[in-house]
Amino acid sequence: MRAVDVEPSAYALLYLRIVFAHEAGSGAPVVLLHGFGLDHRSLLPLERTFERSGEWRRIYLDLPGATRTPADGISSSQQVADAVVEEVVARVGDEKFAVVGNSFGGMIARYVAHELRPQVLGLATVAGVFVAPHDERAVPPRTVLSEDPDVVPLLGSALEQYRDDAVVESADDARAFLAHVLPGLTGADEAALERIAERYSLDREPEDAHPDPFLQPTLHVTGRQDDVVGYDDAWSHLAHYPRASFAVLDAAGHNILFEQSGLCSALIADWLARIQHAS
């Protein structure tokens, strides 16, 4: 099915704002939520994985403040999370759905999955935020395992932005950054992001607000060299997710979706298969 970009008339009513979505495919809905300061394009490399994994209607949202979703009236992560819940309900109705989140989107995905738990088929986070305050996160020291001089001419003025998070540099990784990450960085509403960053924590952590174990198939993928969100904070929730696969991938920082694309794809494919088997 041809991918379509949708700006619906049904939108998050509380904040009176249209949330942009890129949709592809048909079947059971799966909502994909990107990282802070990026947009939906950062998750489009997962398309091949979904195409090979059965019938899935992929709903890639631009979160408030991202390229094509305004953030009028939004000044906290909690308001972002509530707006996403409303948007998901507007789009999927009472259908069961899965949700995937990367980085900041992982924190929002956990909130959505717990608030709408009866409808949720499964939850996946990739380098997801589990502890919102940066100074309270358990993270490894900044480590660059390999530099590649070939990325310098490819990236040009974007080199510094790329190297903020890169752990294993490569030309393929640099090209993916230019195609999928840089457009979101360039198009973000910086004023809105600054407002949200000042109130970055949710009012309550999803696992605290809904303490019963989350029984749907789950996946938490982390990078061993991720000095942005780390891996320990995700693993501290092991007991809450009895149906979860937890993975710490070596040679991977916060750009784990690109630096370890093959392993991430395999793990997400396994997660989707577990959802289909459980349904």
Side-chain angles (χ1 to χ4, degrees), residues 140-161:
R142 175 72 178 145
T143 302
V144 177
L145 297 180
S146 66
E147 294 186 350
D148 185 346
D150 290 341
V151 308
V152 177
L154 280 172
L155 290 161
S157 61
L159 179 63
E160 185 176 348
Q161 289 169 294

PDB file of all heavy atoms in Angstrom, residues 140-161:
ATOM      1  N   PRO A 140      27.127   5.592  30.824  1.00  0.00           N
ATOM      2  CA  PRO A 140      28.572   5.343  30.730  1.00  0.00           C
ATOM      3  C   PRO A 140      29.295   6.602  30.264  1.00  0.00           C
ATOM      4  O   PRO A 140      28.677   7.543  29.751  1.00  0.00           O
ATOM      5  CB  PRO A 140      28.663   4.233  29.680  1.00  0.00           C
ATOM      6  CG  PRO A 140      27.472   4.474  28.804  1.00  0.00           C
ATOM      7  CD  PRO A 140      26.390   4.974  29.718  1.00  0.00           C
ATOM      8  N   PRO A 141      30.613   6.648  30.436  1.00  0.00           N
ATOM      9  CA  PRO A 141      31.368   7.803  29.930  1.00  0.00           C
ATOM     10  C   PRO A 141      31.311   7.863  28.412  1.00  0.00           C
ATOM     11  O   PRO A 141      31.137   6.851  27.732  1.00  0.00           O
ATOM     12  CB  PRO A 141      32.793   7.540  30.428  1.00  0.00           C
ATOM     13  CG  PRO A 141      32.858   6.067  30.641  1.00  0.00           C
ATOM     14  CD  PRO A 141      31.486   5.646  31.082  1.00  0.00           C
ATOM     15  N   ARG A 142      31.445   9.063  27.892  1.00  0.00           N
ATOM     16  CA  ARG A 142      31.454   9.248  26.443  1.00  0.00           C
ATOM     17  C   ARG A 142      32.604   8.461  25.832  1.00  0.00           C
ATOM     18  O   ARG A 142      33.765   8.592  26.245  1.00  0.00           O
ATOM     19  CB  ARG A 142      31.599  10.735  26.120  1.00  0.00           C
ATOM     20  CG  ARG A 142      31.739  11.048  24.638  1.00  0.00           C
ATOM     21  CD  ARG A 142      30.447  10.855  23.908  1.00  0.00           C
ATOM     22  NE  ARG A 142      30.576  11.194  22.481  1.00  0.00           N
ATOM     23  CZ  ARG A 142      29.940  10.559  21.520  1.00  0.00           C
ATOM     24  NH1 ARG A 142      29.119   9.562  21.808  1.00  0.00           N
ATOM     25  NH2 ARG A 142      30.080  10.931  20.268  1.00  0.00           N
ATOM     26  N   THR A 143      32.267   7.598  24.861  1.00  0.00           N
ATOM     27  CA  THR A 143      33.266   6.748  24.218  1.00  0.00           C
ATOM     28  C   THR A 143      33.019   6.718  22.716  1.00  0.00           C
ATOM     29  O   THR A 143      31.880   6.474  22.287  1.00  0.00           O
ATOM     30  CB  THR A 143      33.200   5.298  24.752  1.00  0.00           C
ATOM     31  OG1 THR A 143      33.387   5.309  26.167  1.00  0.00           O
ATOM     32  CG2 THR A 143      34.261   4.429  24.102  1.00  0.00           C
ATOM     33  N   VAL A 144      34.047   6.968  21.943  1.00  0.00           N
ATOM     34  CA  VAL A 144      33.970   6.808  20.488  1.00  0.00           C
ATOM     35  C   VAL A 144      34.853   5.623  20.122  1.00  0.00           C
ATOM     36  O   VAL A 144      36.069   5.643  20.344  1.00  0.00           O
ATOM     37  CB  VAL A 144      34.436   8.080  19.756  1.00  0.00           C
ATOM     38  CG1 VAL A 144      34.419   7.852  18.245  1.00  0.00           C
ATOM     39  CG2 VAL A 144      33.547   9.260  20.135  1.00  0.00           C
ATOM     40  N   LEU A 145      34.257   4.573  19.587  1.00  0.00           N
ATOM     41  CA  LEU A 145      34.996   3.354  19.297  1.00  0.00           C
ATOM     42  C   LEU A 145      35.779   3.440  17.996  1.00  0.00           C
ATOM     43  O   LEU A 145      36.836   2.818  17.859  1.00  0.00           O
ATOM     44  CB  LEU A 145      34.046   2.154  19.258  1.00  0.00           C
ATOM     45  CG  LEU A 145      33.333   1.833  20.576  1.00  0.00           C
ATOM     46  CD1 LEU A 145      32.422   0.626  20.397  1.00  0.00           C
ATOM     47  CD2 LEU A 145      34.340   1.568  21.695  1.00  0.00           C
ATOM     48  N   SER A 146      35.244   4.169  17.027  1.00  0.00           N
ATOM     49  CA  SER A 146      35.984   4.310  15.769  1.00  0.00           C
ATOM     50  C   SER A 146      35.536   5.567  15.039  1.00  0.00           C
ATOM     51  O   SER A 146      34.344   5.887  15.012  1.00  0.00           O
ATOM     52  CB  SER A 146      35.785   3.082  14.866  1.00  0.00           C
ATOM     53  OG  SER A 146      34.443   2.980  14.440  1.00  0.00           O
ATOM     54  N   GLU A 147      36.509   6.275  14.482  1.00  0.00           N
ATOM     55  CA  GLU A 147      36.238   7.427  13.631  1.00  0.00           C
ATOM     56  C   GLU A 147      36.529   7.052  12.183  1.00  0.00           C
ATOM     57  O   GLU A 147      37.393   6.216  11.910  1.00  0.00           O
ATOM     58  CB  GLU A 147      37.094   8.621  14.054  1.00  0.00           C
ATOM     59  CG  GLU A 147      36.742   9.165  15.433  1.00  0.00           C
ATOM     60  CD  GLU A 147      37.521  10.430  15.759  1.00  0.00           C
ATOM     61  OE1 GLU A 147      38.452  10.778  15.003  1.00  0.00           O
ATOM     62  OE2 GLU A 147      37.204  11.067  16.790  1.00  0.00           O
ATOM     63  N   ASP A 148      35.797   7.666  11.292  1.00  0.00           N
ATOM     64  CA  ASP A 148      35.944   7.372   9.867  1.00  0.00           C
ATOM     65  C   ASP A 148      36.138   8.698   9.128  1.00  0.00           C
ATOM     66  O   ASP A 148      35.218   9.520   9.068  1.00  0.00           O
ATOM     67  CB  ASP A 148      34.699   6.658   9.350  1.00  0.00           C
ATOM     68  CG  ASP A 148      34.817   6.217   7.901  1.00  0.00           C
ATOM     69  OD1 ASP A 148      35.748   6.687   7.209  1.00  0.00           O
ATOM     70  OD2 ASP A 148      33.985   5.406   7.459  1.00  0.00           O
ATOM     71  N   PRO A 149      37.323   8.934   8.563  1.00  0.00           N
ATOM     72  CA  PRO A 149      37.560  10.207   7.872  1.00  0.00           C
ATOM     73  C   PRO A 149      36.646  10.423   6.671  1.00  0.00           C
ATOM     74  O   PRO A 149      36.441  11.564   6.235  1.00  0.00           O
ATOM     75  CB  PRO A 149      39.031  10.119   7.452  1.00  0.00           C
ATOM     76  CG  PRO A 149      39.354   8.656   7.449  1.00  0.00           C
ATOM     77  CD  PRO A 149      38.510   8.059   8.531  1.00  0.00           C
ATOM     78  N   ASP A 150      36.070   9.337   6.136  1.00  0.00           N
ATOM     79  CA  ASP A 150      35.188   9.476   4.970  1.00  0.00           C
ATOM     80  C   ASP A 150      33.897  10.221   5.297  1.00  0.00           C
ATOM     81  O   ASP A 150      33.216  10.705   4.385  1.00  0.00           O
ATOM     82  CB  ASP A 150      34.840   8.099   4.404  1.00  0.00           C
ATOM     83  CG  ASP A 150      36.029   7.426   3.735  1.00  0.00           C
ATOM     84  OD1 ASP A 150      36.998   8.131   3.398  1.00  0.00           O
ATOM     85  OD2 ASP A 150      35.989   6.190   3.557  1.00  0.00           O
ATOM     86  N   VAL A 151      33.551  10.302   6.580  1.00  0.00           N
ATOM     87  CA  VAL A 151      32.300  10.988   6.919  1.00  0.00           C
ATOM     88  C   VAL A 151      32.455  12.508   6.828  1.00  0.00           C
ATOM     89  O   VAL A 151      31.456  13.226   6.707  1.00  0.00           O
ATOM     90  CB  VAL A 151      31.780  10.606   8.324  1.00  0.00           C
ATOM     91  CG1 VAL A 151      31.689   9.094   8.477  1.00  0.00           C
ATOM     92  CG2 VAL A 151      32.629  11.209   9.442  1.00  0.00           C
ATOM     93  N   VAL A 152      33.684  12.987   6.900  1.00  0.00           N
ATOM     94  CA  VAL A 152      33.900  14.442   6.949  1.00  0.00           C
ATOM     95  C   VAL A 152      33.383  15.138   5.691  1.00  0.00           C
ATOM     96  O   VAL A 152      32.580  16.076   5.776  1.00  0.00           O
ATOM     97  CB  VAL A 152      35.381  14.767   7.216  1.00  0.00           C
ATOM     98  CG1 VAL A 152      35.600  16.274   7.187  1.00  0.00           C
ATOM     99  CG2 VAL A 152      35.817  14.175   8.559  1.00  0.00           C
ATOM    100  N   PRO A 153      33.800  14.724   4.481  1.00  0.00           N
ATOM    101  CA  PRO A 153      33.259  15.385   3.289  1.00  0.00           C
ATOM    102  C   PRO A 153      31.774  15.116   3.075  1.00  0.00           C
ATOM    103  O   PRO A 153      31.069  15.946   2.494  1.00  0.00           O
ATOM    104  CB  PRO A 153      34.100  14.811   2.146  1.00  0.00           C
ATOM    105  CG  PRO A 153      34.626  13.507   2.667  1.00  0.00           C
ATOM    106  CD  PRO A 153      34.827  13.720   4.127  1.00  0.00           C
ATOM    107  N   LEU A 154      31.290  13.962   3.528  1.00  0.00           N
ATOM    108  CA  LEU A 154      29.869  13.648   3.370  1.00  0.00           C
ATOM    109  C   LEU A 154      28.993  14.597   4.186  1.00  0.00           C
ATOM    110  O   LEU A 154      27.945  15.058   3.717  1.00  0.00           O
ATOM    111  CB  LEU A 154      29.591  12.209   3.814  1.00  0.00           C
ATOM    112  CG  LEU A 154      29.920  11.085   2.851  1.00  0.00           C
ATOM    113  CD1 LEU A 154      29.755   9.737   3.542  1.00  0.00           C
ATOM    114  CD2 LEU A 154      29.015  11.164   1.620  1.00  0.00           C
ATOM    115  N   LEU A 155      29.412  14.900   5.404  1.00  0.00           N
ATOM    116  CA  LEU A 155      28.570  15.628   6.338  1.00  0.00           C
ATOM    117  C   LEU A 155      28.738  17.139   6.242  1.00  0.00           C
ATOM    118  O   LEU A 155      27.811  17.895   6.559  1.00  0.00           O
ATOM    119  CB  LEU A 155      28.858  15.153   7.767  1.00  0.00           C
ATOM    120  CG  LEU A 155      28.390  13.735   8.070  1.00  0.00           C
ATOM    121  CD1 LEU A 155      29.090  13.188   9.292  1.00  0.00           C
ATOM    122  CD2 LEU A 155      26.885  13.703   8.272  1.00  0.00           C
ATOM    123  N   GLY A 156      29.909  17.597   5.864  1.00  0.00           N
ATOM    124  CA  GLY A 156      30.120  19.031   5.759  1.00  0.00           C
ATOM    125  C   GLY A 156      29.821  19.745   7.063  1.00  0.00           C
ATOM    126  O   GLY A 156      30.331  19.379   8.125  1.00  0.00           O
ATOM    127  N   SER A 157      28.961  20.752   7.001  1.00  0.00           N
ATOM    128  CA  SER A 157      28.654  21.553   8.179  1.00  0.00           C
ATOM    129  C   SER A 157      27.864  20.793   9.239  1.00  0.00           C
ATOM    130  O   SER A 157      27.730  21.259  10.373  1.00  0.00           O
ATOM    131  CB  SER A 157      27.867  22.803   7.771  1.00  0.00           C
ATOM    132  OG  SER A 157      26.639  22.440   7.159  1.00  0.00           O
ATOM    133  N   ALA A 158      27.335  19.607   8.889  1.00  0.00           N
ATOM    134  CA  ALA A 158      26.574  18.802   9.849  1.00  0.00           C
ATOM    135  C   ALA A 158      27.458  17.843  10.642  1.00  0.00           C
ATOM    136  O   ALA A 158      26.954  17.064  11.457  1.00  0.00           O
ATOM    137  CB  ALA A 158      25.485  18.007   9.130  1.00  0.00           C
ATOM    138  N   LEU A 159      28.774  17.909  10.425  1.00  0.00           N
ATOM    139  CA  LEU A 159      29.684  16.959  11.070  1.00  0.00           C
ATOM    140  C   LEU A 159      29.586  17.015  12.588  1.00  0.00           C
ATOM    141  O   LEU A 159      29.523  15.969  13.254  1.00  0.00           O
ATOM    142  CB  LEU A 159      31.123  17.244  10.629  1.00  0.00           C
ATOM    143  CG  LEU A 159      32.207  16.352  11.242  1.00  0.00           C
ATOM    144  CD1 LEU A 159      32.017  14.897  10.828  1.00  0.00           C
ATOM    145  CD2 LEU A 159      33.605  16.843  10.838  1.00  0.00           C
ATOM    146  N   GLU A 160      29.580  18.215  13.156  1.00  0.00           N
ATOM    147  CA  GLU A 160      29.548  18.331  14.610  1.00  0.00           C
ATOM    148  C   GLU A 160      28.262  17.752  15.187  1.00  0.00           C
ATOM    149  O   GLU A 160      28.299  17.068  16.219  1.00  0.00           O
ATOM    150  CB  GLU A 160      29.693  19.798  15.022  1.00  0.00           C
ATOM    151  CG  GLU A 160      29.783  19.998  16.535  1.00  0.00           C
ATOM    152  CD  GLU A 160      30.026  21.440  16.922  1.00  0.00           C
ATOM    153  OE1 GLU A 160      30.347  22.254  16.020  1.00  0.00           O
ATOM    154  OE2 GLU A 160      29.910  21.758  18.111  1.00  0.00           O
ATOM    155  N   GLN A 161      27.126  18.005  14.520  1.00  0.00           N
ATOM    156  CA  GLN A 161      25.865  17.442  14.998  1.00  0.00           C
ATOM    157  C   GLN A 161      25.905  15.922  14.961  1.00  0.00           C
ATOM    158  O   GLN A 161      25.438  15.253  15.886  1.00  0.00           O
ATOM    159  CB  GLN A 161      24.705  17.963  14.155  1.00  0.00           C
ATOM    160  CG  GLN A 161      24.379  19.432  14.368  1.00  0.00           C
ATOM    161  CD  GLN A 161      23.423  19.952  13.324  1.00  0.00           C
ATOM    162  OE1 GLN A 161      23.766  20.022  12.143  1.00  0.00           O
ATOM    163  NE2 GLN A 161      22.230  20.314  13.751  1.00  0.00           N
TER     164      GLN A 161
END
